[in-house]
Amino acid sequence: MTDQEEQIIIRKVVAGDAQAFAGLVNTYKDMAVLLAYNILLNREDAEEVAQDAFVKAYKSLHSFKSDARFSTWLYRIIVNTALNKKKLKKQYPLEITEIVAAEVPSDINNIFATQITREHRKHIQVALKSINTNERLCITLYYLNELSVEEIYELTGITTSNIKVLLYRGRKNLYAALHRHLKNEITNLIKQ
Amino acid sequence: MMEQDKQMKEILFNSTEEASADFTNIVMKKVYLLSTSSGYQPLVSPKLKKLFVFVFGATVAVILSLCLVITLSNYNIVGWIESIPLPDLDYKKLLLFILIFWIMFSVNILLQKKLLLH
């Protein structure tokens, strides 16, 4: 969806066409869940936070300035909602085995492919769990949501120099955690 | 985008599965509820309220300054007011109505501000 198309939808929603909002939800829902997940590390909470963020965005869409990017504005709402949730609940993420067990492959032919994806996801989730929240937040916003350092500063309030340090450390720690985890897996497989 | 950046994006992208199938429906249900719920609609719009406050302030200021001028001046500079022929109306009732209206309006604004602070 182009920026212009987005602006048209926003104008329609502000004018009272609530149905038009579904277009924005469909475009950003996956990214919203991913962003919330990388902050909370809990699938159910991430989904809930993403939904709440969309409702909040709808409520305050009239205050959205058309010269700004809708995605950045929405990400700010998601980050704030997720951080508030994390602060309020002081929760611990669900065991990864529980998340993986909840997935059911729809087609028997896809079992093998699904199994690979599950394994892949499991390694990433373990690695993400091992790094600092701010590092995870910065690398998610920078690499996944493709925000600039300045935009991350505006969104989180973390200074630009700190963001650069967090990006460097986060990247390094995530690769190291992935490497360590995969090495352990291989060693365990060899032992078996 | 550098190769390493792409790799990192892919890693993060694969951290969890995409949004659930009924995600949009759930959000839109909440949105419809919000859009159809009849919220509080003030009888007097904020713009009109500002205009009322301005008119009230201006009237009070004019009355006070006229009183001041009349009191301080030795000359009968507002004598022309006395010469204006007035229509035969019940001015007591009219003044009472205006007075009560502005008292109620001011009390309402003060109470609203108090409620907002809480």
Side-chain angles (χ1 to χ4, degrees):
Chain A
M1 188 185 285
T2 62
D3 283 357
Q4 262 189 332
E5 285 170 331
E6 252 176 37
Q7 293 301 330
I8 293 167
I9 291 179
I10 290 165
R11 257 178 262 144
K12 275 186 185 175
V13 177
V14 172
D17 182 5
Q19 177 62 43
F21 193 67
L24 293 173
V25 179
N26 279 329
T27 307
Y28 290 105
K29 63 179 180 181
D30 292 336
M31 208 48 110
V33 172
L34 264 171
L35 176 58
Y37 178 81
N38 283 331
I39 296 169
L40 297 162
L41 291 177
N42 181 312
R43 174 70 206 179
E44 281 168 24
D45 283 347
E47 188 105 359
E48 199 185 305
V49 160
Q51 285 167 1
D52 283 352
F54 274 111
V55 175
K56 279 182 189 170
Y58 173 79
K59 270 193 215 168
S60 46
L61 203 61
H62 60 275
S63 66
F64 170 71
K65 287 170 191 161
S66 54
D67 53 333
R69 269 166 70 192
F70 176 76
S71 57
T72 316
W73 185 72
L74 178 70
Y75 295 155
R76 178 176 293 147
I77 299 173
I78 296 165
V79 170
N80 287 337
T81 314
L83 288 176
N84 278 341
K85 176 122 190 161
K86 200 179 168 90
K87 218 184 280 177
L88 281 172
K89 279 186 79 176
K90 288 204 171 179
Q91 59 181 7
Y92 295 100
L94 277 174
E95 283 304 308
I96 283 147
T97 47
E98 286 177 49
I99 302 165
V100 172
E103 293 172 16
V104 179
S106 54
D107 184 354
I108 199 79
N109 296 323
N110 289 334
I111 287 178
F112 190 65
T114 312
Q115 191 59 34
I116 293 169
T117 316
R118 276 181 189 175
E119 286 298 312
H120 194 167
R121 197 166 283 152
K122 196 177 97 178
H123 298 315
I124 296 168
Q125 286 174 345
V126 170
L128 276 171
K129 245 176 103 177
S130 70
I131 67 168
N132 171 291
T133 309
N134 277 349
E135 288 173 0
R136 205 166 55 234
L137 177 64
C138 285
I139 59 169
T140 304
L141 291 170
Y142 187 81
Y143 292 105
L144 191 68
N145 302 110
E146 292 177 8
L147 299 188
S148 66
V149 173
E150 282 73 27
E151 282 173 321
I152 299 173
Y153 159 68
E154 278 173 29
L155 216 141
T156 60
I158 304 170
T159 59
T160 48
S161 50
N162 263 345
I163 292 167
K164 284 174 190 167
V165 174
L166 287 167
L167 281 173
Y168 173 74
R169 276 198 214 146
R171 204 169 44 221
K172 204 175 127 189
N173 291 340
L174 185 63
Y175 279 131
L178 271 172
H179 191 256
R180 208 169 40 238
H181 187 68
L182 287 170
K183 208 174 156 186
N184 287 344
E185 285 284 309
I186 292 164
T187 316
N188 287 341
L189 276 172
I190 292 167
K191 277 182 190 169
Q192 281 170 6
Chain B
M1 196 188 272
M2 281 167 64
E3 195 54 40
Q4 211 180 19
D5 291 2
K6 277 184 186 170
Q7 205 179 5
M8 182 60 80
K9 187 175 176 168
E10 205 179 322
I11 290 171
L12 294 166
F13 199 76
N14 286 309
S15 62
T16 189
E17 63 265 38
E18 47 203 32
S20 59
D22 57 347
F23 186 95
T24 309
N25 286 340
I26 294 169
V27 173
M28 289 314 289
K29 264 182 199 166
K30 289 178 184 174
V31 164
Y32 286 136
L33 271 177
L34 276 174
S35 64
T36 52
S37 63
S38 52
Y40 165 69
Q41 292 289 325
L43 196 62
V44 179
S45 73
K47 272 188 184 173
L48 198 64
K49 205 157 94 178
K50 272 185 190 168
L51 186 75
F52 276 156
V53 173
F54 176 76
V55 169
F56 179 57
T59 312
V60 170
V62 167
I63 291 168
L64 284 177
S65 47
L66 269 175
C67 288
L68 207 69
V69 167
I70 293 164
T71 317
L72 296 176
S73 171
N74 293 326
Y75 305 102
N76 190 12
I77 50 169
V78 284
W80 58 273
I81 294 174
E82 288 167 17
S83 62
I84 299 170
L86 295 172
D88 193 18
L89 288 171
D90 196 343
Y91 290 100
K92 258 190 184 174
K93 276 185 185 170
L94 193 70
L95 280 171
L96 201 68
F97 170 77
I98 294 169
L99 193 73
I100 290 170
F101 174 81
W102 284 113
I103 288 171
M104 293 308 289
F105 194 76
S106 310
V107 168
N108 186 38
I109 286 177
L110 286 172
L111 281 175
Q112 266 189 346
K113 275 190 180 169
K114 253 193 176 177
L115 281 172
L116 280 174
L117 280 173
H118 290 285

